[in-house]
Amino acid sequence: MISPQFFIEKLKENGISFYTGVPDSLLKNVCAYITDNFDANHNIIAANEGGAVALAAGYHIATGKVGCVYMQNSGEGNAVNPLASLTDHEVYHIPLLLLIGWRGRPGVHDEPQHVKQGKITTGLLNVMGINYDVLSKEEDVAVKQIDKAMRSIHETGEPYALLVEKDTFDSYTLRHVASSEYELEREEAIKCVAASIPDDAVIVSTTGMISRELFEFRAAMGLGHERDFLTVGSMGHASMIALGIALQHPERKVFCFDGDGASIMHMGNMAIVGSRCPSNYVHVVFNNGAHDSVGGQPTVGFNIDLVEIAYAMRYCHAVCVWTAEQLRDALNNMFSEGLQLIEVRVKKGNRKDLGRPTTTPVQNKEALMSFLQCQCNGEM
Ligand SMILES: Cc1ncc(C[n+]2csc(CCOP(=O)(O)OP(=O)(O)O)c2C)c(N)n1
């Protein structure tokens, strides 16, 4: 395995001292090392991967230097537009180094949302004309690959990608762990909300631990999963899936269980939800100020005012709570009409033995579709 320090030092020797991106579990250790060793102007966690590519482009325009953009391969989709219409040599011709965690690499078992993306990861790079290498787990080989990558970047002036497989980097423990003042656990908050909503309500939950915790709550209660759409991929889009359902089913409440990282990733979605203003829609953001599901790297979740944002986006009611009692009060007052947001400030962390959904995405979708259908026909 490669030591994160060794890797980042080698990049530094090659002139790389600016990082931006969205964290990934395969890059957790190297991201932690970057966090500890670069200040807030030299390591910026972006809202989404496209924003990170654009930020590194701006850095290059300002300095002539090459920035590094880190991401999970699921973020390739968000990055395609600025890679094709900004940094590409047929447009502005801007160099950068991409560090991409390769989930779902063919032949390696992974979660369902990573299978397709894993298969098309190199194909997408090929089609965009981006040269790449799969980073070796041997330091002496990795050094040669870094040299090759940087030579290519300097000769062509174009982006180059290093793909990172599981267990490429040695462990590294973050020294600067941001402390959270909040006492409520996310799982407890999820249980509290899920337990208090009407039987015919639907929940669309975001990617990561939030969906896993909701799944386990239903199982522990001896319930099925037909009321829930567990959005395993598509980070940042749960609120729009919920909108699509809420508009067609005005007779029932639709909840979106969002994360701070996910809602910030595609925050424009809130403006569209607000513009349609469905009175049966409740947006619950479990804000732990972190990308908890992939290593706990910070988001700007605690630096922004989601309640003010919701009002500015034309939500009818918005409230921020951080204790179990406040959450119960908010839920008791919730059933009035009107689009609403509940921001629940929670602490980071999850149960170590947290499982994963045992149903497939297609089973999950079909069960929810039948649930919606049966209720419409009054057959439940
Ligand atoms: C487009 C995209 N980029 C990155 C990821 C990797 N990823 C999965 S969960 C997650 C963090 C989610 O953070 P948040 O929404 O705040 O929820 P939390 O895990 O903190 O509960 C990330 C970055 C992804 N799935 N998709």
Side-chain angles (χ1 to χ4, degrees):
M1 275 196 251
I2 307 177
S3 129
Q5 177 176 3
F6 176 85
F7 181 73
I8 297 301
E9 285 299 323
K10 287 293 155 207
L11 291 188
K12 202 170 179 183
E13 286 167 20
N14 280 278
I16 299 227
S17 58
F18 180 82
Y19 292 86
T20 177
V22 176
D24 168 38
S25 49
L26 299 188
L27 302 175
K28 180 177 152 189
N29 295 323
V30 80
C31 283
Y33 184 82
I34 295 167
T35 302
D36 273 347
N37 291 281
F38 290 84
D39 65 34
N41 283 334
H42 292 85
N43 175 34
I44 299 177
I45 297 181
N48 61 59
E49 294 81 356
V53 170
L55 182 58
Y59 168 78
H60 173 77
I61 293 163
T63 62
K65 296 187 204 164
V66 176
C68 175
V69 175
Y70 51 83
M71 67 176 80
Q72 182 177 96
N73 54 343
S74 54
E76 264 185 322
N78 283 334
V80 163
N81 176 247
L83 287 171
S85 65
L86 172 66
T87 58
D88 190 85
H89 72 277
E90 293 191 58
V91 196
Y92 291 100
H93 200 172
I94 293 174
L96 51 92
L97 178 67
L98 298 164
L99 195 60
I100 304 178
W102 194 357
R103 297 291 304 260
R105 182 175 185 172
V108 179
H109 175 76
D110 211 328
E111 298 306 311
Q113 68 273 26
H114 296 297
V115 173
K116 178 71 180 189
Q117 185 66 48
K119 280 186 199 156
I120 63 171
T121 292
T122 54
L124 278 173
L125 294 171
N126 285 331
V127 108
M128 287 192 289
I130 295 176
N131 290 324
Y132 64 87
D133 217 341
V134 181
L135 189 64
S136 167
K137 296 178 185 177
E138 307 295 328
E139 288 184 345
D140 50 344
V141 182
V143 170
K144 294 194 181 99
Q145 291 177 310
I146 293 170
D147 288 345
K148 185 176 154 214
M150 296 313 296
R151 249 196 329 277
S152 165
I153 287 172
H154 291 304
E155 280 167 19
T156 65
E158 291 178 36
Y160 188 101
L162 289 174
L163 297 175
V164 178
E165 296 176 284
K166 193 162 182 247
D167 297 330
T168 295
F169 289 108
D170 249 336
S171 63
Y172 176 85
T173 310
L174 191 65
R175 276 185 278 123
H176 297 132
V177 186
S179 63
S180 162
E181 60 197 271
Y182 300 106
E183 62 189 41
L184 201 55
E185 283 174 3
R186 183 189 49 220
E187 186 167 16
E188 193 189 337
I190 285 174
K191 283 183 193 169
C192 185
V193 185
S196 67
I197 65 181
D199 274 354
D200 65 344
V202 163
I203 302 175
V204 179
S205 54
T206 184
T207 186
M209 304 288 186
I210 290 175
S211 282
R212 291 168 61 184
E213 288 170 348
L214 176 62
F215 185 90
E216 294 235 327
F217 165 74
R218 297 288 196 206
M221 298 299 288
L223 295 167
H225 305 282
E226 66 280 359
R227 291 170 178 77
D228 309 325
F229 188 85
L230 308 163
T231 318
V232 289
S234 262
M235 183 169 162
H237 295 303
S239 59
M240 290 300 263
I241 301 170
L243 178 63
I245 297 172
L247 291 176
Q248 301 311 316
H249 284 278
E251 76 287 358
R252 72 176 75 221
K253 287 268 182 211
V254 177
F255 288 74
C256 173
F257 280 15
D258 228 341
D260 48 301
S263 56
I264 291 165
M265 178 168 272
H266 293 299
M267 187 159 263
N269 287 342
M270 281 180 75
I272 305 307
V273 172
S275 78
R276 302 320 317 137
C277 209
S279 61
N280 55 333
Y281 190 114
V282 184
H283 198 164
V284 188
V285 180
F286 299 95
N287 184 359
N288 51 15
H291 288 282
D292 203 28
S293 300
V294 291
Q297 303 84 349
T299 67
V300 293
F302 291 161
N303 308 113
I304 61 173
D305 189 333
L306 275 172
V307 168
E308 286 296 318
I309 290 169
Y311 279 125
M313 302 285 201
R314 304 285 178 257
Y315 283 47
C316 301
H317 311 281
V319 63
C320 176
V321 299
W322 54 90
T323 66
E325 199 185 339
Q326 290 170 343
L327 178 57
R328 275 192 296 273
D329 281 351
L331 291 166
N332 286 337
N333 295 327
M334 183 185 63
F335 297 106
S336 57
E337 287 300 287
L339 170 62
Q340 28 202 312
L341 173 117
I342 303 176
E343 176 190 0
V344 193
R345 295 224 169 177
V346 291
K347 63 179 175 190
K348 287 200 314 186
N350 61 281
R351 206 162 25 94
K352 293 297 159 243
D353 60 350
L354 184 65
R356 291 180 183 275
T358 48
T359 50
T360 66
V362 171
Q363 286 168 341
N364 178 214
K365 178 201 70 176
E366 286 176 351
L368 174 61
M369 288 178 79
S370 311
F371 177 71
L372 288 168
Q373 206 51 43
C374 290
Q375 292 254 320
C376 270
N377 300 337
E379 290 168 13
M380 292 292 284

